[in-house]
Amino acid sequence: MKTPLTKDEEKALLDAAQQVREHSYSPYSKFKVGAAVLTEDGRIFQGTNIENSSYGLTVCAERNAMFAAVGAGARRLRALALVTQKVPGAAFNSPCGACRQVMSEFMPPNTPILIAVLDKDKRIVYRKTLRDLMPYPFDKFSEK
């Protein structure tokens, strides 16, 4: 990452993720998720979770956002924001292993990951890095 995210960039990413969350197709889990990624050239791409009755064909919001960015020509992502609902007993909802692996393809380990939880009228934000979520990745950025 070249420079830290500004507060305006963080807000724009979180707002984009929260907005697209409303387009979730989650009739089985009823768990809406929104994601947004920021590319190195300043573009924001959104994605939401899309479920399928054959659960293995479900695609997470994070991957949908990353794939939209890559499909538009981005190859390095500067940050990712994720917005979910509150789950009793959990501080926040972490991306799944498949999403983490895709993140490691397009993000260096120090990439900021903003994980927001909607709890009533509040958006509680947890700031992590990809390294926090995936300390031993199988990726092209790892030291050989």
Side-chain angles (χ1 to χ4, degrees), residues 13 15 18 29 35-38 41 46 48 53 59 74 80 83 86 90 96 111 114 120 122 131-132 137:
L13 264 181
D15 288 349
Q18 187 166 340
S29 71
V37 294
L38 176 65
D41 63 2
Q46 299 168 291
T48 190
S53 59
V59 182
L80 181 141
V83 177
K86 178 88 173 120
C96 75
T111 300
L114 307 172
K120 298 180 181 121
K122 294 187 296 183
R131 180 176 286 117
D132 294 332

Side-chain angles (χ1 to χ4, degrees), residues 24 26 69-71 134:
S24 169
S26 47
V70 172
M134 193 166 184

Side-chain angles (χ1 to χ4, degrees), residues 71-119:
R75 294 297 181 263
R76 289 283 296 263
L77 304 176
R78 194 167 155 226
L80 181 141
L82 178 65
V83 177
T84 69
Q85 63 208 44
K86 178 88 173 120
V87 173
F92 62 90
N93 307 296
S94 187
C96 75
C99 288
R100 293 177 197 201
Q101 183 58 45
V102 173
M103 287 177 197
S104 73
E105 185 71 21
F106 299 106
M107 301 174 178
N110 63 339
T111 300
I113 310 293
L114 307 172
I115 303 172
V117 176
L118 300 177
D119 188 11

